[in-house]
Amino acid sequence: MTDIQNQDDLYLLVDEFYKKLLSDKSISYIFTDVVKIHLEEHLPILVTFWSQAILGTGGYSKNLTQIHLDINDKEYLSPELFKIWLHHFFSAVDENFKGENSEKIKTQALSIATVMQIKISQKKQ
């Protein structure tokens, strides 16, 4: 198994990740009913985000925190949802890749989930 090396690898990763998310009824409704993502448009954005975060390519300019706070305004993004999200993300990584970037992306995902939960908690107060 190889490490995450380029945007093609990241596309494979996010595609596999979303297959897991969308087949899990405990979280899929966020993407199908609340946000109503169009996967063919959403995946390239995610690839750009992760490419910037892991490969240093740049190109992502959206406010990730605000996007999630806006979603939380529509439907509470509970700690349980973040656990499910992380489980599927880690599984998608571990089933397809192994190496330094693979560990880096999992650490980054955990950091993002943690920050999002803190920001959501602060907004509730």
Side-chain angles (χ1 to χ4, degrees):
M1 206 176 310
T2 62
D3 199 5
I4 298 166
Q5 298 174 27
N6 54 47
Q7 289 190 340
D8 288 341
D9 291 342
L10 289 168
Y11 191 90
L12 171 71
L13 172 61
V14 295
D15 187 50
E16 291 298 314
F17 172 52
Y18 268 80
K19 285 177 186 172
K20 292 175 182 303
L21 287 176
L22 294 174
S23 67
D24 184 338
K25 288 183 180 22
S26 64
I27 195 169
S28 62
Y29 71 96
I30 296 290
F31 303 95
T32 57
D33 300 339
V34 177
V35 180
K36 298 179 181 162
I37 63 164
H38 299 283
L39 209 51
E40 63 280 352
E41 296 169 13
H42 192 58
L43 289 183
I45 294 167
L46 292 172
V47 169
T48 301
F49 171 80
W50 285 115
S51 182
Q52 178 170 300
I54 302 306
L55 304 175
T57 56
Y60 186 84
S61 60
K62 297 182 183 207
N63 184 331
L64 185 66
T65 302
Q66 191 59 54
I67 290 168
H68 288 83
L69 289 174
D70 291 346
I71 295 167
N72 186 69
D73 288 343
K74 297 176 185 177
E75 180 75 24
Y76 176 54
L77 298 178
S78 68
E80 183 58 32
L81 288 172
F82 281 100
K83 286 179 192 167
I84 295 165
W85 184 90
L86 282 169
H87 167 74
H88 289 310
F89 191 84
F90 286 13
S91 294
V93 173
D94 291 341
E95 289 169 8
N96 293 283
F97 301 100
K98 184 178 178 87
E100 185 178 334
N101 283 339
S102 302
E103 294 306 311
K104 185 177 175 182
I105 203 168
K106 291 190 292 183
T107 300
Q108 186 77 17
L110 178 59
S111 295
I112 290 167
T114 303
V115 168
M116 293 300 165
Q117 290 176 80
I118 291 167
K119 296 287 187 184
I120 288 167
S121 174
Q122 289 172 341
K123 193 171 181 189
K124 281 180 70 177
Q125 296 174 353

